[in-house]
């Protein structure tokens, strides 16, 4: 089987998360009881490597799972992001043939975030950054975040745009009032996260962000966050109303790559393949929130040619992330 690189694979460093404080974390809507996967998130050694080996996954690109420094203002947030990146670099240095990393950024301080991205890439050898949804309810098309986008452009490495908890007003309107845990589930991994990330990408395109940053590269997970199914309709309706000067679908397909993280069935993959093409799909698991074995089984059974399967398994990641 081809070499396998997984891009959306998460870690947490508990002593650093403790610096955020419970009040900030709960204000973001993160459940106080945790995810139940804390042990796997904190392990970057034997257990993680063993489950990678069992599933035939050669490399994980590690990223810090929320909560993170994007909840913390000022120099405190900058210092926390720097500490998280140093911890990520330590994990990679222990197993440099098995791990790479995406930078964690203090997004409440965009200029400092741009500088931290440059440090993480140039000094620590990271392969881009992961940004978790909105910051203070603002999307990346907000002009305040231009320094981060420009720095990612200059480094020629991608931003992995990952979902996060919805703003409180959105949660109240869309998801409150449902029985039991249904509202929390609908707001997050079952649907809400994916809809919001799709909206995030569409906003970037409609706001002209990719025109202002023509070399910007994005990665989104979960088989394209529903965009493969909806892109043609959005493009058709938007052609005469936005004034982009080119089809919206062309903008997105030029700037966005997608991964398979957490979506391991054939119908959405076929939609992704026919919309984005094999050159823009990359393998991911979403470990430990999804199982390595399940992701690898999907890769093995994928309805794709051997050439396309090799692109998805490792070649596209090697090209996009400049991995040897």
């Amino acid at each position: 089987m081809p070499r396998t690189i997984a891009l959306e694979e998460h870690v947490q460093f508990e002593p650093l998360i403790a610096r955020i404080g419970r009040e900030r974390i709960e204000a973001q809507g993160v459940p106080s009881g945790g995810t139940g996967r804390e042990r796997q998130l904190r392990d970057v050694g034997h257990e993680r490597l063993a489950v990678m080996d069992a599933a035939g996954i050669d490399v994980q690109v590690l990223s810090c799972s929320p909560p993170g420094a994007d909840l913390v203002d000022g120099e405190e947030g900058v210092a926390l992001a720097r500490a998280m990146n140093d911890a990520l670099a330590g994990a990679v240095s222990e197993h440099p043939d098995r791990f790479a990393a995406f930078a964690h950024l203090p997004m409440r301080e965009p200029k400092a975030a741009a500088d931290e991205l440059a440090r993480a890439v140039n000094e620590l050898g990271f392969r881009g950054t992961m940004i978790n949804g909105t910051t203070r309810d603002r999307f990346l098309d907000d002009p305040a975040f231009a320094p981060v986008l420009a720095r990612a452009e200059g480094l020629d490495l991608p931003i992995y745009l990952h979902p996060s908890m919805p703003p409180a007003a959105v949660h109240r309107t869309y998801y409150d009032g449902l029985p039991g845990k249904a509202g929390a589930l609908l707001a997050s991994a079952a649907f809400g996260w994916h809809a919001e990330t799709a909206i995030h990408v569409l906003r970037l395109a409609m706001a002209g962000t990719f025109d202002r940053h023509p070399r910007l590269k994005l990665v989104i997970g979960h088989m394209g966050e529903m965009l493969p199914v909806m892109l043609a309709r959005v493009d058709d309706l938007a052609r005469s109303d936005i004034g982009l000067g080119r089809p919206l679908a062309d903008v997105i397909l030029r700037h966005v790559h997608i991964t398979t993280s957490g979506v391991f069935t054939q119908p959405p993959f076929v939609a992704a393949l026919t919309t984005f093409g094999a050159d823009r799909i990359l393998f991911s698991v979403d470990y430990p929130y999804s199982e390595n074995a399940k992701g690898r089984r999907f890769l093995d059974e994928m309805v794709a040619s051997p050439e396309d399967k090799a692109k998805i398994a490792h070649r596209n990641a090697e090209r996009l992330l400049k991995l040897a």
Side-chain angles (χ1 to χ4, degrees):
M1 296 302 296
R3 184 182 188 221
T4 305
I5 301 172
L7 270 70
E8 189 183 320
E9 318 309 319
H10 304 291
V11 298
Q12 286 183 338
F13 301 102
E14 178 56 30
L16 298 178
I17 290 177
R19 288 166 52 177
I20 301 171
R22 176 51 54 187
E23 184 175 345
R24 287 174 176 144
I25 294 172
E26 291 182 349
Q28 185 68 8
V30 178
S32 58
T35 65
R37 296 176 176 87
E38 282 73 19
R39 179 176 56 82
Q40 293 96 327
L41 283 164
R42 295 166 188 168
D43 174 71
V44 287
H46 173 74
E47 180 180 347
R48 182 176 292 254
L49 292 171
V51 293
M52 288 170 62
D53 290 341
I57 293 174
D58 298 293
V59 177
Q60 283 188 346
V61 184
L62 304 177
S63 54
C64 288
S65 183
D70 52 350
L71 303 183
V72 183
D73 293 321
E75 287 301 318
E76 185 183 1
V78 176
L80 180 59
R82 188 180 182 95
M84 286 186 167
N85 288 328
D86 288 343
L88 277 171
V92 173
S93 69
E94 291 290 323
H95 305 281
D97 58 331
R98 306 301 304 275
F99 296 142
F102 286 131
H104 183 73
L105 301 182
M107 289 300 293
R108 294 190 175 211
E109 308 296 332
K111 291 182 180 178
D115 291 340
E116 179 59 15
L117 174 56
R119 182 186 81 92
V121 170
N122 294 327
E123 298 182 20
L124 305 180
F126 287 10
R127 302 299 172 170
T129 183
M130 179 173 283
I131 293 175
N132 294 305
T134 59
T135 302
R136 287 177 169 157
D137 299 347
R138 292 181 296 169
F139 293 88
L140 288 177
D141 59 85
D142 190 298
F145 300 117
V148 178
L149 306 187
R151 194 63 60 92
E153 270 191 294
L155 294 166
D156 194 31
L157 287 169
I159 293 173
Y160 199 124
L161 187 55
H162 187 271
S164 189
M165 301 304 293
V170 173
H171 198 290
R172 283 195 302 271
T173 301
Y174 279 27
Y175 307 116
D176 281 0
L178 294 172
K181 298 181 179 179
L185 186 63
L186 188 61
S188 56
F191 194 87
W193 279 351
H194 314 301
E196 183 172 290
T197 305
I199 290 170
H200 203 149
V201 173
L202 291 169
R203 283 186 61 103
L204 290 168
M206 291 177 173
T209 305
F210 294 118
D211 293 327
R212 295 189 295 276
H213 301 279
R215 299 183 307 282
L216 183 63
K217 301 174 184 177
L218 289 187
V219 182
I220 57 175
H222 311 107
M223 209 65 80
E225 311 287 16
M226 299 186 286
L227 284 175
V229 175
M230 294 301 299
L231 189 57
R233 173 172 171 80
V234 176
D235 185 58
D236 183 55
L237 295 173
R239 281 178 184 268
S240 61
D241 297 327
I242 300 178
L244 290 176
R246 52 181 172 149
L248 182 140
D250 289 355
V251 176
I252 290 175
L253 293 174
R254 179 175 299 181
H255 291 274
V256 179
H257 291 71
I258 70 176
T259 79
T260 64
S261 62
V263 179
F264 304 133
T265 55
Q266 296 298 331
F269 170 70
V270 172
L273 185 63
T274 54
T275 304
F276 279 79
D279 290 336
R280 289 189 168 270
I281 303 175
L282 303 93
F283 177 71
S284 293
V285 173
D286 202 357
Y287 180 84
Y289 303 110
S290 295
E291 298 175 9
N292 284 333
K294 190 174 182 179
R296 181 53 193 253
R297 185 164 58 251
F298 168 73
L299 178 64
D300 293 342
E301 298 171 356
M302 184 179 287
V303 180
S305 69
E307 177 67 18
D308 285 350
K309 190 175 291 189
K311 290 179 181 180
I312 293 166
H314 69 100
R315 289 179 187 167
N316 292 339
E318 291 163 349
R319 169 178 48 82
L320 183 64
L321 305 185
K322 306 182 190 305
L323 289 166

